[in-house]
Structures are given as C-alpha cells and as structure tokens.
Amino acid sequence: MTKIFTFFAVFFIVYTTNSQDLLKWAADAEGNAPYIFQDPNVPEKLIGFEIDIASALAYELGLKERFVQNQWDGLIPGLYRGDYDIAMNGLEITDERKKAVNFSKPYYITHLSIVIRFESDSLRDEFDLKGMNVGALKNSQAENVLNELDGVKTRTYEGEVNAFEDLQNGRIDAVLVDFPIALYYTSINKALKIVGSEVSEVSYGIALRLEDKQLLQTINAGLDSLIITGELRKILESWNLWNHEMTEYSNDYSEYDLPAIRYDYFVASMSQDSSLESLFVRYLSFMPMVARAALMTVNISVLSMIIAIILGLFIAITKVYGPKPLSILASVFIEVIRGTPLLIQLFFIFYALPTIGIKLSPFLAAIIGLGLNYAAYEAENYRAGLFSVQKGQIEAALSLGMSRRNALRHIVLPQAFRIVLPPVTNDFISLLKDSSLVSVITLVELTKLYNQLSSTYFDYIGTGIMIAAVYLLLGLPFVKLSRSIEHRMTNDVDKKKY
C-alpha cells in the first residue's frame, strides 16, 4: 500500500507542478571517491555514488538529468544564480546551512572516522586525540567536532588528500573525516588505517533554494520512492557504503547482500601497476581532456587580454590627457581594481550582479572579470609609455599644424606602444596563469583539470609536470610573437632615422 501511495504521490507532484523535463544538479568533480570523480580507466567519464543517486532520482521523477560542474565552495551561490535546480555533493545537513538553503531528507547517513598512520598506537575514541595535531576538511562537521574538544590542535584543509599527505609525512597525528572518505583512501593506501569508535553522525542532504518548496516535496517523494523500492540500498551496497545508520533510517532489515562491485572496481583500478608504460598510457588518455582545457584557457586569456589592452589604453589616455573629473575617475578605477583581489572581483561579477538583474554566462563573466582587472595594470603600463615620449615631440607636431589628436595618434602612441610591449607581454603570461581562478565560476580549464585528475589518481607530480608543460607551450608562441613585433617596430624606427 505504501509503495502504491508513494508512486501516485510522485506521479501527481511531477505531473501537476513540474512543467520542465530536466533536472539540473551540481557537484564538484574534484569531490573525489566515492562521491564524484573521474573513472580511473576512462578519465572522461564521471562516476560516484552521488552520480548514481542523481540518475536514479531523475529517472524516478520522469526527468532527464544534466550535470553542472561547480566549485564546491560555490555550490550554494550557484544555486541562487539559477544555474541548476539542486546541489548534491556530500553537503552535511547542519543548522547553519539550513538558514541558507532547504535540505531534502537525507539520502545518506554515516559517521566520522579517525585515520592514523598504520604504525601508530590505536585510539579508542575522539577523546584520545587530546594533545594531538588533527586534520579536518574546512567548514566540515569534523572541524566543528574537533573545535569542541579540549586540547586538540585542529588544522583544516581544502581537500582530504592534502590532509592525508600531511598525516603520512608526520606533520599531523590524525585526520577526522567522513567514513566514506576514510574507507576509500585507506583501501588503497596501506600506510594508513581507520581506528577508534564511530564519531558523531553525519547526514547528507540535497540542497535547494529556500523558495523552491514544491521542488523540495518532489525531491523528497523521489527519495522516498528510492528507499521503498530498494534502489538506494542497491546503489550504496554497490559502493560498499550500506551501514547500520542507513538500515535504521530506511527501516530495511532485509538479509540480501549485494556485491560491492563498484568499490571493488575502484580498488582494482587504483591498484594497477605503476610502470612507466602504464603511466604513459594513462597520460595519453588524458590528452583529449587536456586539449579541451587548454583551448578554454587560451580562449579566456586571449579575449580577456584584448579587453585589457583596449580598455587600458582608453583609461591611460583619459587619465593623462582627459579633463580633470574623468582623469580622477580613471585613477579611482585603477586603484580600486588593483587594490582588491581578482578572486573577489570574479565572485562579485558572477554571484552578486545577478541580484540586480545582470546575469552573465560563466565564460562571459570570466573574460570580463579578467579583462577589467588587467585593464588597470595595462593602463599604468601605457601611462608610463606616454610619459616616456619627450614633450618636445608633441610640441613640434603641434607647431607643424597637427591637431593634438593626430599628434597623439601618429607621434606619441606608436613610440609608447613599442616601449610598453615587453611589460604587456609579461602581463599576458601572468593572465594565462591567472585564468586558473575562473574555475571558481564553474569553468574547467587547465588548473581545474589538474586538480580533478591528480585527486582521482593521487598523482600530483606526473600530472603537474604535464599541465605545467602545457602552460609553457601555450605561452611561448605569444612571447615569440611579441619579440617579433618589437624587433620589427625597432627596425622601422631605425629606418625612419635614415
């Protein structure tokens, strides 16, 4: 009877309230195993138990699913930008987060686990951590638990991999993380082990906008259906994540025990030999993704630099030759942009402007943000170039009957441009590397791809060298082009002298 009621409830809610046929959900593919990560054998494919739950949920609701990549820190702001309908990426249900978003009923309940080095003495519980340096993920429930313990020195990390690296290298004594992370990391790293009793219950929920009451009912009805049909248990058992908390939560005490095929697949994939031949084959499989990320990096950098060069020239001329009010405005623009972090400017353009009706696509927001930021620096380069041209030249041009505008265009600017070409080239190389910051607004460029691949394979050196080499190769042609233009302009000037 309960199954029939749930079926009709889902059917009625979907049919009557949701006119769309698409469920857009967001997560960070850097989330790592077992949440969402690159398939170790097919890097272009994303896998994870949250991928499976999202697919099952969309199917249950009769919707097509579409995955949207977003930085973990930007999942909630992106939700309110309207970029997607729901966010699901190990978001722990806490009272603080409930003030910002609605949470669905939990789709997974687990606990925190303590991880230490294999040779260390075992601990009984979290109270044995007193006097130790303990790592935890930033803004996680584990961090809150550690902060409430007396005598524990807490160190927070952006990603669990860095915490485990510090633990292995002896910089910290233990790591407190969600059990799924501990299970998967220790399964492939025998230098670490899980110890002690379970610490604090953790519930993952799907985040929705506060005003999406109807969608919240739809999602909850879909999750109910997944629990009742046993689909949620099948997914979690295949990832070796079914536990006593989920048994009690779902009231499913049945005996069937499905093989953990996805967990076994992950362990087997990560345990493959690391010979040079296998590494070469792996890096070769990265090439299509690297090519797409490199193209994104070049597109963003070139378009941003074009904006920066044109706008910077306009600002410099306004500051040097414009009327005083406009000159002051130009100075204010330069100082404000140079005096505030680029990252905050990108956040402001992408997340704050939609509140006043200006909603830019991620790509457009990226090139405008980078273009405006570098325009301030280019303006100062141009100003230095303009001042380096002797006043006597423009006075001579004026005395020969040229207008100030023509004197500026034909006498001053060509000389100033030749002088500022080297620093402009340097700025472009800097911009090429700063383009990595746009990953915070959902774009996947080279640095974001590096983070995703390295966290999937725990290979920071080989993947890092490969991505660094791509950055170097991308920058070299532009340096060569700049030198060629500079050399040509120098020759033109020398010819004019004779």
Side-chain angles (χ1 to χ4, degrees), residues 219-231:
I219 295 297
N220 281 337
L223 288 173
D224 278 341
S225 183
L226 291 181
I227 293 172
I228 291 169
T229 59
E231 186 63 25

Side-chain angles (χ1 to χ4, degrees), residues 295-344:
L295 184 61
M296 174 65 75
T297 298
V298 170
N299 286 340
I300 292 172
S301 301
V302 170
L303 292 174
S304 301
M305 200 63 196
I306 290 173
I307 293 175
I309 289 174
I310 296 173
L311 184 60
L313 177 61
F314 173 77
I315 294 170
I317 292 174
T318 302
K319 183 175 180 178
V320 176
Y321 299 107
K324 193 170 183 180
L326 293 180
S327 178
I328 293 173
L329 280 178
S331 298
V332 170
F333 173 84
I334 291 170
E335 297 308 322
V336 169
I337 295 296
R338 288 197 311 176
T340 53
L342 173 58
L343 189 61
I344 291 178

Side-chain angles (χ1 to χ4, degrees), residues 52-72:
D52 292 348
I53 292 176
S55 298
L57 183 61
Y59 181 80
E60 192 67 32
L61 300 179
L63 304 172
K64 296 178 182 176
E65 61 157 325
R66 178 184 295 171
F67 170 70
V68 179
Q69 162 63 36
N70 201 0
Q71 188 93 348
W72 195 87

Side-chain angles (χ1 to χ4, degrees), residues 178-251:
D178 297 3
F179 173 73
I181 300 173
L183 172 67
Y184 272 69
Y185 201 89
T186 55
S187 70
I188 57 173
N189 189 336
K190 301 306 178 187
L192 305 176
K193 62 181 178 181
I194 301 173
V195 296
S197 57
E198 299 172 357
V199 183
S200 183
E201 189 173 276
V202 176
S203 298
Y204 296 155
I206 298 173
L208 301 95
R209 290 178 286 270
L210 289 172
E211 63 270 21
D212 287 344
K213 306 288 186 185
Q214 201 66 57
L215 181 59
L216 178 63
Q217 292 183 36
T218 305
I219 295 297
N220 281 337
L223 288 173
D224 278 341
S225 183
L226 291 181
I227 293 172
I228 291 169
T229 59
E231 186 63 25
L232 184 60
R233 176 169 179 169
K234 288 180 184 175
I235 292 171
L236 294 176
E237 287 204 339
S238 70
W239 288 97
N240 198 21
L241 295 176
W242 187 255
N243 54 28
H244 68 88
E245 291 100 336
M246 286 302 297
T247 299
E248 294 166 5
Y249 171 63
S250 63
N251 198 29

Side-chain angles (χ1 to χ4, degrees), residues 25-28 31-32 34-36 49-50 72 75 87-94 97 103 107-108 110 137 139-141 178 180-181 202-207:
W25 72 283
D28 187 354
N32 215 339
Y35 301 86
I36 174 172
F49 81 95
E50 291 182 331
W72 195 87
L75 286 176
M88 181 171 62
N89 199 192
L91 292 170
E92 298 156 341
I93 301 175
T94 63
R97 287 178 180 159
F103 275 109
Y107 62 86
Y108 186 58
T110 182
L137 292 180
N139 299 324
S140 67
Q141 190 166 328
D178 297 3
I181 300 173
V202 176
S203 298
Y204 296 155
I206 298 173

Side-chain angles (χ1 to χ4, degrees), residues 102-170:
N102 275 327
F103 275 109
S104 69
K105 56 181 56 180
Y107 62 86
Y108 186 58
I109 301 176
T110 182
H111 53 269
L112 301 176
S113 293
I114 302 170
V115 179
I116 60 174
R117 288 183 291 279
F118 190 81
E119 68 276 10
S120 301
D121 294 333
S122 293
L123 307 173
R124 290 169 299 174
D125 51 39
E126 68 271 29
F127 299 105
D128 288 344
L129 295 171
K130 187 174 182 179
M132 293 184 177
N133 293 312
V134 185
L137 292 180
K138 188 181 290 184
N139 299 324
S140 67
Q141 190 166 328
E143 182 186 3
N144 295 334
V145 169
L146 291 176
N147 289 337
E148 292 175 1
L149 293 174
D150 292 331
V152 175
K153 300 170 185 173
T154 306
R155 293 189 183 179
T156 57
Y157 296 84
E158 294 288 344
E160 68 273 10
V161 175
N162 295 333
F164 287 130
E165 286 290 326
D166 270 5
L167 174 61
Q168 203 164 337
N169 292 326

